[in-house]
Amino acid sequence: IADQSDSKLLKLMEELHYADVTEIVHELGQDEGTYLIKLLDSNKTSDVIAELDEDVREKILENLSDKEIADELQELDTDDAADIIGELPEERQEEVIAQIEDEEHAAEIVELLRYDEDTAGGLMAKELVQVNENWNVLKCVKEMRAQAEEVTRVHSIYVVDDQNRLKGRLSLKDLLTTSTRADIKDVYIPKVDYVKVHDKAEEVAKVMSKYDLEAIPVVDELGRLVGRITIDDIVDVIKEEAEKDYQLAAGITQEVDAEDSILDLTRARLPWLFLGLMGGVGAAAIMGGFEEILENYAILFFFTPLIAAMAGNVGVQSSAIIVQGLANDDVKGSIADRLVKEMLLAMLNGAILGIVLFFFTWIWQDDHLSALAISISLFVVIIVAGIIGTFIPLFLDKRGIDPAIATGPFITTSNDIFGILIYFWIAKLILNI
Amino acid sequence: IADQSDSKLLKLMEELHYADVTEIVHELGQDEGTYLIKLLDSNKTSDVIAELDEDVREKILENLSDKEIADELQELDTDDAADIIGELPEERQEEVIAQIEDEEHAAEIVELLRYDEDTAGGLMAKELVQVNENWNVLKCVKEMRAQAEEVTRVHSIYVVDDQNRLKGRLSLKDLLTTSTRADIKDVYIPKVDYVKVHDKAEEVAKVMSKYDLEAIPVVDELGRLVGRITIDDIVDVIKEEAEKDYQLAAGITQEVDAEDSILDLTRARLPWLFLGLMGGVGAAAIMGGFEEILENYAILFFFTPLIAAMAGNVGVQSSAIIVQGLANDDVKGSIADRLVKEMLLAMLNGAILGIVLFFFTWIWQDDHLSALAISISLFVVIIVAGIIGTFIPLFLDKRGIDPAIATGPFITTSNDIFGILIYFWIAKLILNI
């Protein structure tokens, strides 16, 4: 497609939304992608650059001059511009910022760079519409027109006092239906949800989705309005959060996707596999310790994968429910209550599965004592696995550690080892070996 | 707290946001919750009812009369009202609808009830601001004021022709900065993203988050504007989608949470555990078939939990990456390309893990042939597990089945069985038994 007729290409691209152009750049790769971006005007390409995956963007920015990058950033909202600059090598950051013509824009970007990526400050943009409580509606509308030029989408209009402290908000709807002579002081809504600049991104997401907000103002320690966060950034936070938890549950550490290199994927996957290997070696060592019963009760060894699998599955189920409950803030009651409930649940599941396994093993091996030993062990293992799966994430959460790391291979591996140990121990007891 | 002083309680509740009142109702439970809802005015309680969890809402609505429910619905946007009515038993639906005083509102709710919950039609609300292309800005502003009364939040103003077909949109910002005498025809933006009424909810979520939209119009088969979907509903769709995938990966079938009853939780968890049991029994049967080598090579049996665990872990990792890639539409290339990549990746991981296991087993048992057999088997098992984990979700996706069901217990169980079969087969080959 590319390299043929620039004007034809240009025309085609102009028709497309920037998100579609972004997809095209992703497919073209570094060289042709850069070519395309240089070809288009910076109005659209700045959005394209903001939408690109981090690794692709890094490569394309390497091919652009400081000045070219600065021009692109000029077109972007401060939050996106700050994100992009934050990814550049440090020496380059200063050079690019120095090239931004609009000094106010540059100063705002520098301010945003100060905040941690995972906080409200890291998510917010400086672009917002604010009015002083002492203005009247007419002045307000005038000022808003000027400010609105800069702001892509107007959500709420924030009302501040002379010290720039957030006082309340005005809706566009109200403004449409109020006399132009009224004072803002008399018409604004003094109740407004806000977040503090150092609040965690996750917290912001919770507040915004709980109250169904489309934008939320951000204030500093003194209550002064410093920025605003829009729902589209929060949608990204929610998605990333969900992907991270999902990957942790599947035993993948870093954020990777199907298109990453084999080396990156190995780095993300190998640590958990290594943990699994250690667990398996541990299980093998335990079984080695019970070698003396192998001769008479070989059947016990045939069921070790079953015991390990069930211990792992029950553990993952229990921990997943807890992890999700914690994320949604709907885990109530004490840890003890939780453990009792999980124990009852595991007893019910364990009893059903134990009975099924008993009859199967009895029919297969015609040895009801072995069958009983295996089934009762399964019953106990399921209960212990459920308790471990419930306790670990609750414990981690109490200690301030992300409970999501407890799901997946971590639980599976520890439950494998515990499961097999308990299994042989109980079986020996019942069989009187 | 409750049952003391109604007026004090009322005052307290009035200060709170409906989302906070919802949390309080959740904690109070059915009886006191109903009491509280009857106490408050329907302006706030309608939002509370809309926010409640489905099971709590069901119980509270049982305690309200048809008329009371109808009054609550009157206050709600059509989409929320339709969702609530849709949950009522069928006989009751008609009675409640008949009690809604505003006939237009009732008609709109009935229309929305026709659509499947998981489609754009099921998500959309009828409340929107629309203007005719033949009006001028002044008339437009006047009409908008009237319409805006009904609409909680104005996003875009949709422009339609005389046949109510969607032509484009107007932003409030443009309206603020345009002369009142201009014709809408000359100022509206003819490019507008929209979805069709039967599009899937997931698709709508993709479009809205790709293009960073805060609201999207919904059109019917003839291109006529029938409703609009706002981003807050989409945030819910994204969250539910993520929770569903997470639970499937963890082996939980229905949507349950930590607060559900033990019976509900068992119903959601037992099927997958049963699958795991079958897998374990299968593995035991396979091992029973290799009983003759038990005497000389007992060590092979000690490593079956390790082999099963590694096969399961690798399978879950591979499938999770594919499932996530499919959900984000960024899996490129053919199935064959994917499988080759996964094979290379699995070979790298398998080689590293195999070498580690070889040295461990050699040192432990001082039998390099067994150690070699176990390690090479592990290597092959990892490759096969990776391929199965990659292939199954891609295959399901091609067939139009949600690939997320392939992660978790499904992959784990099938990989357990395959893994152990391959393991003994290769070990026998190497050890020349």
Side-chain angles (χ1 to χ4, degrees), chain A residues 132-335:
Chain A
N132 192 298
E133 58 173 344
N134 299 316
W135 297 347
N136 65 23
V137 171
L138 190 66
K139 166 142 194 199
C140 173
V141 171
K142 255 197 215 155
E143 291 280 339
M144 273 174 53
R145 285 196 189 193
Q147 293 180 26
E149 293 291 308
E150 273 185 37
V151 182
T152 332
R153 271 178 291 209
V154 178
H155 293 89
S156 274
I157 302 140
Y158 300 116
V159 180
V160 296
D161 66 10
D162 291 334
Q163 275 76 48
N164 206 31
R165 281 186 301 238
L166 181 67
K167 302 295 282 184
R169 66 188 165 85
L170 263 177
S171 72
L172 272 174
K173 212 175 96 182
D174 295 332
L175 219 57
L176 275 174
T177 49
T178 314
S179 139
T180 51
R181 269 150 303 171
D183 270 349
I184 296 297
K185 211 179 293 196
D186 303 321
V187 295
Y188 81 77
I189 307 150
K191 251 170 97 176
V192 57
D193 293 296
Y194 60 86
V195 289
K196 299 219 183 82
V197 78
H198 294 299
D199 283 351
K200 285 221 176 129
E202 269 178 73
E203 285 306 312
V204 180
K206 263 186 208 168
V207 171
M208 288 186 74
S209 73
K210 179 174 170 188
Y211 297 118
D212 282 347
L213 303 174
E214 291 176 355
I216 197 163
V218 182
V219 301
D220 67 7
E221 293 83 351
L222 300 174
R224 290 177 305 196
L225 182 63
V226 290
R228 68 108 174 72
I229 297 172
T230 50
I231 187 77
D232 52 318
D233 295 320
I234 292 304
V235 168
D236 294 340
V237 170
I238 291 172
K239 276 187 167 178
E240 273 169 33
E241 209 46 50
E243 289 196 358
K244 208 186 68 192
D245 284 359
Y246 185 77
Q247 295 201 330
L248 278 174
I252 301 167
T253 46
Q254 293 147 346
E255 237 179 81
V256 285
D257 62 54
E259 293 307 314
D260 280 336
S261 74
I262 289 183
L263 221 66
D264 283 340
L265 285 165
T266 299
R267 216 173 297 144
R269 291 168 60 164
L270 200 55
W272 287 123
L273 291 180
F274 206 77
L275 184 69
L277 191 76
M278 291 297 99
V281 164
I286 292 171
M287 288 163 78
F290 289 95
E291 204 170 356
E292 76 276 7
I293 61 172
L294 190 63
E295 216 173 306
N296 295 319
Y297 294 100
I299 188 177
L300 288 184
F301 288 82
F302 297 164
F303 283 94
T304 49
L306 182 146
I307 296 291
M310 296 306 279
N313 286 351
V314 170
V316 168
Q317 286 183 338
S318 314
S319 62
I321 287 184
I322 296 292
V323 166
Q324 223 164 37
L326 288 170
N328 293 334
D329 269 342
D330 63 3
V331 175
K332 287 154 208 153
S334 65
I335 291 193

Side-chain angles (χ1 to χ4, degrees), chain B residues 37-48 68 71-76:
Chain B
I37 283 180
K38 287 195 176 177
L39 192 66
L40 297 173
D41 65 27
S42 69
N43 204 327
K44 184 169 268 166
T45 53
S46 57
D47 286 325
V48 172
E68 281 169 321
D71 287 345
E72 302 286 0
L73 297 182
Q74 189 90 28
E75 298 286 332
L76 284 175

Side-chain angles (χ1 to χ4, degrees), chain B residues 259-305:
Chain B
E259 294 306 315
D260 280 337
S261 73
I262 289 182
L263 220 65
D264 282 342
L265 285 165
T266 299
R267 215 172 298 145
R269 291 167 61 164
L270 201 56
W272 287 123
L273 291 180
F274 206 78
L275 185 68
L277 192 76
M278 291 297 100
V281 164
I286 292 171
M287 287 162 80
F290 289 95
E291 204 170 356
E292 75 277 5
I293 61 172
L294 189 63
E295 216 172 305
N296 294 319
Y297 294 100
I299 188 173
L300 288 184
F301 288 83
F302 297 165
F303 283 95
T304 48

Side-chain angles (χ1 to χ4, degrees), chain A residues 107-118:
Chain A
E108 287 175 347
I109 292 172
V110 171
E111 188 200 324
L112 290 181
L113 280 174
R114 286 210 317 262
Y115 301 108
D116 186 351
E117 232 189 303
D118 296 327

Side-chain angles (χ1 to χ4, degrees), chain A residues 15 20 145 153 155 176 209-212 214 243 247 251 258-260 317 324 328 338 341, chain B residues 20 145 153 155 176 191 210-212 214 239 243 247 251 258-260 317 324 328 338 341:
Chain A
E15 304 268 306
D20 297 313
R145 285 196 189 193
R153 271 178 291 209
H155 293 89
L176 275 174
S209 73
K210 179 174 170 188
Y211 297 118
D212 282 347
E214 291 176 355
E243 289 196 358
Q247 295 201 330
E259 293 307 314
D260 280 336
Q317 286 183 338
Q324 223 164 37
N328 293 334
R338 279 276 127 224
K341 181 173 181 186
Chain B
D20 298 311
R145 286 196 191 194
R153 271 177 291 209
H155 292 89
L176 276 174
K191 248 169 100 175
K210 178 173 170 191
Y211 297 119
D212 282 348
E214 291 177 355
K239 277 186 163 178
E243 290 198 356
Q247 295 201 330
E259 294 306 315
D260 280 337
Q317 286 183 339
Q324 223 164 34
N328 293 335
R338 280 277 127 223
K341 183 173 180 186

Side-chain angles (χ1 to χ4, degrees), chain B residues 311-370:
Chain B
N313 286 352
V314 170
V316 169
Q317 286 183 339
S318 314
S319 62
I321 287 184
I322 296 292
V323 167
Q324 223 164 34
L326 289 170
N328 293 335
D329 268 343
D330 62 3
V331 175
K332 287 152 209 155
S334 65
I335 291 192
D337 289 347
R338 280 277 127 223
L339 290 178
V340 168
K341 183 173 180 186
E342 178 61 34
M343 211 166 84
L344 292 173
L345 180 67
M347 279 170 77
L348 181 60
N349 282 331
I352 297 172
L353 294 166
I355 290 169
V356 172
L357 186 64
F358 172 75
F359 282 107
F360 169 81
T361 320
W362 192 16
I363 291 165
W364 185 35
Q365 291 280 326
D366 199 19
D367 170 3
H368 70 274
L369 206 63
S370 294

Side-chain angles (χ1 to χ4, degrees), chain A residues 386-423:
Chain A
I387 290 175
I388 294 177
T390 305
F391 180 74
I392 291 184
L394 286 173
F395 175 77
L396 290 179
D397 186 58
K398 276 251 153 52
R399 298 234 129 190
I401 303 170
D402 181 1
I405 62 159
T407 51
F410 188 75
I411 286 282
T412 318
T413 304
S414 56
N415 277 1
D416 273 11
I417 295 184
F418 278 115
I420 286 179
L421 199 58
I422 293 167
Y423 168 70

